[in-house]
Amino acid sequence: MANLLRQQDAMGYRYPFLDLSKVNNMYIGRIKEAAERVICSGRYVGGHEVEAMERALAVACGVPDAYVVGVSSGLDALRLALRSYMHLGRLAPGDEVIVPANTYIATVLAVTDCGLVPVMVEPDVLTMNIDTSLIEGAVTPRTRAVMPVHLYGRVVWDGMLMDTVRRHNLLVIEDNAQAIGATAPVAGFNGSHISGTLGHAGAFSFYPTKNVGAMGEAGAVLTFDTQLAETLRAMRNYGQSRQYHNELQGYNCRLDPLQAAIVALKLPELEFENSSRRAIAGVYDCMIDNPYVSKPIYDGTGISVWHQYVVRVKDRDRFRDYMAGNGVETAVHYPVPPHKQACYPDMNILEFPVAENIARECVSLPVSRCTTLSDAEDISMIINKYRHG
């Protein structure tokens, strides 16, 4: 019976995890105007709206001189970046790409889709991001790239990672699906501290639940490499540099103009969105005080944008039932690590105990703009009353 509590509609909770209609309400007038503009334009693939969004993303990331290529999703952003590097001769089938063992499966799907080999590295138990001290030990003669994932909105980037990458001449493709606007304590290769601009290419997702979300699928790749940008633009559009002239074996991964227009109008509000999440996370950090609930450890370096606020609890189901019974909707990101997924049977024998333990214990609390500071205080007090066993 208790498990049924978690199956109720989000609107049935006093403290819903996420209500996208409420999130989009502050933009609704401009969204309708954008939709009408696109419909009346008669241009429904590519064009000005996509170009405007690409410029807006570069500006939002503080790098107006960067190249941005809008694509159809965050997963496509990752795999097209890899495919483009393969075309440019920087990667080849069978090459190894270092990835975190604790991540959403899209990270690994992008690698295997290109015929590349994912080499997983355990996360830091405190940050839940890839443990940069272990990357050096994962490098082999076949390693050609590292794909750091800025999980839950927290940047993973430090001098140790940069030193390893430089000494082994590795590519860095950032999976920045969850951390738009976050900053690192150490500048990246291009002098910027902002996530997605630190490595050689950064992949963005604008899935509706993201801090900046479209109303459908959307993504982008950011880079300072002219050649890579040109290859990406061709690769997303059937491999053609001009109509009916296909130099590459490409894909149909173009960004929809309507989604581009929606993302573009939201990007100027990025800091507002992120600061709201930081404020809610700050309440949780200060108020949650329960020995049975482990809060995410943040050492103050860099700035997280708190795409998710993830705690860890030994008996997750019992905790989530307790929270649901008190009107709080929670979520799990992610209950099954990539190497234990059915789609990768050859990896199922691998063991990454830190990642597996996080997968068993992680619980995401409400942290979007649907949640007020008062809500966060109430949720914290509810958590503090939880008892295990």
Side-chain angles (χ1 to χ4, degrees), residues 121-319:
V121 170
E122 284 273 44
D124 182 307
V125 69
L126 298 180
T127 69
M128 294 182 274
N129 269 327
I130 191 170
D131 188 334
T132 58
S133 70
L134 301 178
I135 293 177
E136 175 72 34
V139 175
T140 76
R142 294 297 298 169
T143 306
R144 296 291 181 271
V146 178
M147 189 177 282
V149 180
H150 308 312
L151 199 63
Y152 309 141
R154 177 176 184 161
V155 177
V156 52
W157 189 265
D158 56 24
M160 191 178 305
L161 186 154
M162 292 184 69
D163 179 62
T164 300
V165 167
R166 282 176 168 149
R167 282 188 295 102
H168 296 283
N169 192 30
L170 304 177
L171 290 169
V172 178
I173 299 99
E174 298 171 71
D175 184 337
N176 193 44
Q178 300 186 10
I180 184 171
T183 61
V186 177
F189 297 138
N190 303 290
S192 171
H193 287 256
I194 300 177
S195 63
T197 73
L198 303 168
H200 300 98
F204 293 72
S205 170
F206 301 105
Y207 187 73
T209 59
K210 296 297 192 288
N211 292 27
V212 175
M215 300 186 80
E217 299 281 1
V221 181
L222 184 151
T223 183
F224 292 85
D225 185 333
T226 305
Q227 195 175 24
L228 178 64
E230 291 174 351
T231 305
L232 281 162
R233 290 194 181 103
M235 197 71 74
R236 73 179 174 183
N237 189 28
Y238 296 100
Q240 60 186 17
S241 58
R242 55 195 175 99
Q243 193 171 27
Y244 304 131
H245 290 77
N246 301 72
E247 288 79 15
L248 310 178
Q249 295 181 29
Y251 305 87
N252 179 6
C253 293
R254 297 170 294 197
L255 174 60
D256 180 271
L258 178 57
Q259 303 306 330
I262 293 170
V263 171
L265 70 86
K266 288 186 176 184
L267 282 169
E269 308 294 337
L270 174 61
E271 181 50 34
F272 173 80
E273 174 68 39
N274 289 346
S275 62
S276 172
R277 290 170 178 265
R278 284 195 291 271
I280 294 166
V283 172
Y284 289 148
D285 285 340
C286 291
M287 290 194 63
I288 295 176
D289 184 14
N290 188 322
Y292 303 112
V293 180
S294 299
K295 295 180 290 186
I297 302 299
Y298 200 73
D299 58 9
T301 59
I303 299 176
S304 175
V305 296
W306 297 105
H307 174 59
Q308 303 295 348
Y309 190 96
V310 179
V311 298
R312 294 172 59 195
V313 187
K314 292 292 184 183
D315 190 342
R316 178 169 59 205
D317 286 345
R318 186 174 187 276
F319 175 75

Side-chain angles (χ1 to χ4, degrees), residues 6 17 104 152 308 310-311 316-317 320 329-336 358-365:
R6 293 207 304 269
F17 182 77
Y104 183 54
Y152 309 141
Q308 303 295 348
V310 179
V311 298
R316 178 169 59 205
D317 286 345
R320 294 190 70 206
E329 184 182 23
T330 59
V332 176
H333 301 91
Y334 302 96
V336 183
I358 290 172
R360 282 191 296 268
E361 297 180 353
C362 61
V363 180
S364 300
L365 303 181

